[in-house]
Amino acid sequence: MRLREDGTKYLIATDNRNSGDETFYEVKEEGVGTYVVTFKSINRFDEGTYLCEVQQSVGDSAVTKSVYVRVLQPPIFTHVDSKVSVKQNSDTQLTCTATGYPTPVVTWQREDANILPGGSIQRVSSVLTISNAQPEYRGMYACTASNLASSITRKAEVEVIFSPVVKPLIKERRQMIGYQITFKCQIEADPIVKEENIIWTFSDRNDVGGFEVNHPVTFLERNTIEATSKMVIKRVSKSDFGYYTCTATNNEGFGLTQFLLEESDTPQPDLTGVIAGSTTKVVSVAVLVLCLLVGQQMRT
């Protein structure tokens, strides 16, 4: 029997017959005195309290045992934003909804385990609001819908469109005249900066003016938002000491960083760790030593 909410009982089956449509319930005897009721097509409306009554003979008191049947429906996503694009300093939302029984709890977190925009590692909500979007907010986010039946997860991507962020690999460098020095700036931007949108300039004063350099410049696009620009001075001269500026531009604006090159009394290794440049002084020393040795031999 099923116990209704008003306390009345509703007979669904006995040991020898079904009271209603046999497509709903089926009673089978499994061993002496053991009966099993099977729900043929259970749904959430079948949840409730059921009673098993046993009466040995007519007139005897019935022995009753109750059991509560809980029906669970695993979560199913009804909508998940797969990707949203937002400009830097603007607002956007990620939406994730799901059905199931009991009603699923929807949570958001970042796939890389970083802090969510606005703080916290995890947020319980079907809508994740991103305010004042910054480049560090870009990446993959995970929406999880959970209930007592199971959990499911779907990913969503946040793309932040921003002007270039330019960083120096090493900001201040020293080198001896005649030797090689390399400067490298690392660029992040969306859309990505192209080679023709990067300019290196030089000034002997600490400002962002000056003129465009004529030293070799190479460009490397690392991925969809990162790039590197490298400038090499093969042989440093006296006029090369000063300030160098790497400027990158895209549709959202520009970014720049500045380097300082100062004179050194000794040759310094380049970014690769190798000292490269002129060998003139080394040759001159060798010739001088040879001349001294010859002069000493002639006097003896």
Side-chain angles (χ1 to χ4, degrees), residues 205-266:
R205 296 177 297 175
N206 187 10
D207 56 38
V208 294
F211 54 88
E212 191 169 347
V213 301
N214 57 4
H215 301 294
V217 174
T218 57
F219 175 81
L220 174 63
E221 186 174 313
R222 296 162 56 191
N223 52 46
T224 56
I225 63 169
E226 296 179 315
T228 299
S229 182
K230 181 175 67 174
M231 182 194 69
V232 180
I233 304 176
K234 295 291 187 180
R235 296 179 186 274
V236 173
S237 65
K238 192 71 175 178
S239 61
D240 291 321
F241 297 120
Y243 295 89
Y244 292 85
T245 302
C246 173
T247 304
T249 306
N250 69 1
N251 294 336
E252 300 302 309
F254 72 93
L256 56 84
T257 190
Q258 197 173 62
F259 303 84
L260 172 62
L261 175 60
E262 296 179 301
E263 186 174 0
S264 172
D265 295 332
T266 57

Side-chain angles (χ1 to χ4, degrees), residues 115-174:
I115 300 295
L116 288 168
S120 77
I121 293 291
Q122 189 179 78
R123 191 167 306 161
V124 180
S125 176
S126 59
V127 177
L128 178 65
T129 300
I130 300 176
S131 303
N132 191 30
Q134 298 301 312
E136 57 267 25
Y137 294 169
R138 68 186 185 275
M140 300 303 297
Y141 290 68
C143 170
T144 301
S146 305
N147 65 10
L148 294 174
S150 64
S151 296
I152 54 176
T153 300
R154 187 79 61 82
K155 296 178 182 179
E157 182 181 0
V158 173
E159 178 187 53
V160 179
I161 301 171
F162 61 101
S163 59
V165 177
V166 186
K167 300 177 182 179
L169 187 60
I170 302 176
K171 196 170 183 66
E172 297 183 0
R173 306 293 304 280
R174 297 176 64 86

Side-chain angles (χ1 to χ4, degrees), residues 41-78:
S41 181
I42 197 167
N43 60 58
R44 57 177 296 187
F45 301 105
D46 291 317
E47 181 169 320
T49 301
Y50 292 79
L51 304 175
C52 174
E53 288 191 355
V54 178
Q55 188 178 26
Q56 290 187 339
S57 59
V58 178
D60 291 344
S61 299
V63 178
T64 303
K65 194 74 174 180
S66 66
V67 60
Y68 187 86
V69 175
R70 168 163 283 181
V71 179
L72 304 178
Q73 292 179 338
I76 298 175
F77 284 121
T78 54

Side-chain angles (χ1 to χ4, degrees), residues 147-206:
N147 65 10
L148 294 174
S150 64
S151 296
I152 54 176
T153 300
R154 187 79 61 82
K155 296 178 182 179
E157 182 181 0
V158 173
E159 178 187 53
V160 179
I161 301 171
F162 61 101
S163 59
V165 177
V166 186
K167 300 177 182 179
L169 187 60
I170 302 176
K171 196 170 183 66
E172 297 183 0
R173 306 293 304 280
R174 297 176 64 86
Q175 187 55 286
M176 189 174 182
I177 292 176
Y179 288 85
Q180 178 173 299
I181 192 75
T182 301
F183 294 99
K184 185 181 292 186
C185 63
Q186 298 171 324
I187 305 159
E188 291 186 1
D190 193 351
I192 186 64
V193 172
K194 299 301 181 182
E195 183 174 7
E196 59 271 19
N197 301 126
I198 299 176
I199 298 176
W200 286 84
T201 55
F202 170 78
S203 175
D204 56 3
R205 296 177 297 175
N206 187 10

Side-chain angles (χ1 to χ4, degrees), residues 273-290:
V274 176
I275 296 176
S278 175
T279 57
T280 304
K281 293 190 176 182
V282 176
V283 173
S284 299
V285 171
V287 171
L288 178 59
V289 172
L290 179 59

